[in-house]
Amino acid sequence: MHASRISRCARRGLVAVVAGGSLLAALNTASPAAASTASAPAGGSKVVCTSEKSGLAPKLSQDIAAALDGRKGSSALAVYDRPTGTVCRYQAGTHFDSASVVKVTVLGALLRQAGEAHRHLTPQEAHWATAMITKSDNASTDALWHRIGTAGFQRFLDLAKMHDTVPGKGGSWGLTQITAGDELTLMRLLTSENAVLSASDRAYALDLMHRVERDQQWGVPAGAPASATVHVKNGWLPRATHGWRVHSVGAFTGNGHDYGMAVLSHGNRTMKDGVAAIEGAARVIQRDLAETGQ
């Protein structure tokens, strides 16, 4: 599927990455160790981590809390790492204006809608999808948002179990209300076998996220190991209230890596402040996961 957009060889390789990641996760979690939970306070809330890897939950919770505590504005975070059975959450149910990170959900809804109609994406849809993800092109997103329709977008949210996400009204896709928890659910969906998106659809979406333009590759990839394949989408939006919304979501695959994260923020004085906050949290997560020898 989608032969008009990526070569068969490239697609087969990406499908293998997705399938391989799922197989690796299954092998690593076949006989899980007893999970431990730890928490650490940050900004009036708590970072809560659970892990099957000894010592990882307290380390992650403390390091993430230290990275987030004391910053101006509000933030939320969610992380998973399949090989170690790790999950971390910080205000993961809090709503934020989506800005451009919603574009990954728009892509998922488009792929699901095409799949249900038993058809390939049209060349025009493929062009829009590529520009929407790799360039964060707003005009392409407008076109796909209206083509999918509110009902089509909501159907994907329901199937994906992204129950806390509320579509923006009319053409205001950037004001869709999202949570870190739902964004992490989407990253999991893109990196494991499921009934919502086919293997070729998942590979296609991950490929586009891997090919995001260089100047938009900031955020959760900060500190990622060179051996990981990075798939990322960021969003940024200034408004009169709550200042800059700056968000980053991503998944990391290949060479034994199988993890993802979502970091959302608003109340940033500048976009640079938001990027710095996200990357501060991302770096400690990347470091702590790397030190586990996953």
Side-chain angles (χ1 to χ4, degrees):
M1 191 174 178
H2 315 305
S4 63
R5 292 156 293 159
I6 51 178
S7 71
R8 276 199 195 114
C9 271
R11 190 178 69 237
R12 280 199 299 267
L14 284 162
V15 172
V17 166
V18 174
S22 299
L23 177 59
L24 179 64
L27 291 172
N28 276 283
T29 59
S31 301
S36 62
T37 299
S39 65
S45 187
K46 287 184 178 181
V47 178
V48 179
C49 294
T50 299
S51 180
E52 294 167 7
K53 182 76 172 182
S54 177
L56 183 55
K59 184 169 180 57
L60 272 171
S61 61
Q62 291 165 15
D63 289 347
I64 293 170
L68 295 175
D69 196 28
R71 67 169 299 271
K72 294 182 179 179
S74 298
S75 56
L77 177 148
V79 179
Y80 73 83
D81 179 57
R82 286 194 180 98
T84 60
T86 300
V87 176
C88 292
R89 296 171 66 87
Y90 173 72
Q91 302 195 124
T94 301
H95 282 96
F96 293 78
D97 295 333
S98 66
S100 288
V101 295
V102 76
K103 292 171 181 177
V104 183
T105 313
V106 172
L107 177 60
L110 174 69
L111 294 170
R112 176 66 193 189
Q113 196 171 71
E116 289 183 342
H118 305 289
R119 67 173 182 84
H120 300 300
L121 297 188
T122 67
Q124 181 63 76
E125 287 171 335
H127 173 77
W128 284 332
T130 299
M132 176 177 69
I133 300 298
T134 65
K135 299 179 180 180
S136 205
D137 183 68
N138 290 339
S140 296
T141 312
D142 289 339
L144 290 174
W145 180 262
H146 290 296
R147 177 160 294 200
I148 295 162
T150 302
F153 189 77
Q154 186 61 56
R155 174 164 173 74
F156 177 74
L157 294 177
D158 292 342
L159 291 170
K161 294 181 170 39
M162 296 170 67
H163 300 309
D164 292 328
T165 300
V166 182
K169 295 181 180 179
S172 300
W173 46 263
L175 298 183
T176 295
Q177 297 300 292
I178 62 170
T179 67
D182 269 7
E183 291 303 301
L184 199 71
T185 294
L186 181 59
M187 296 302 103
R188 286 179 179 272
L189 193 74
L190 292 176
T191 56
S192 61
E193 185 176 353
N194 60 79
V196 182
L197 293 172
S198 68
S200 59
D201 285 341
R202 299 194 304 273
Y204 176 61
L206 288 172
D207 176 62
L208 292 183
M209 293 173 69
H210 179 59
R211 294 194 286 117
V212 164
E213 291 188 341
R214 185 173 297 277
D215 64 352
Q216 296 182 26
Q217 293 178 12
W218 47 266
V220 295
S227 56
T229 300
V230 176
H231 317 273
V232 66
K233 184 70 192 83
N234 297 321
W236 56 97
L237 175 69
R239 299 191 73 194
T241 58
H242 298 307
W244 278 86
R245 289 93 167 117
V246 186
H247 313 316
S248 185
V249 301
F252 304 83
T253 63
N255 295 307
H257 303 289
D258 188 0
Y259 62 101
M261 65 182 90
V263 188
L264 313 180
S265 69
H266 67 211
N268 301 291
R269 186 177 59 85
T270 65
M271 179 177 170
K272 185 177 180 180
D273 289 342
V275 173
I278 290 169
E279 293 191 341
R283 283 192 179 93
V284 300
I285 293 166
Q286 301 281 7
R287 182 197 66 205
D288 288 355
L289 291 178
E291 288 177 354
T292 67
Q294 42 145 264

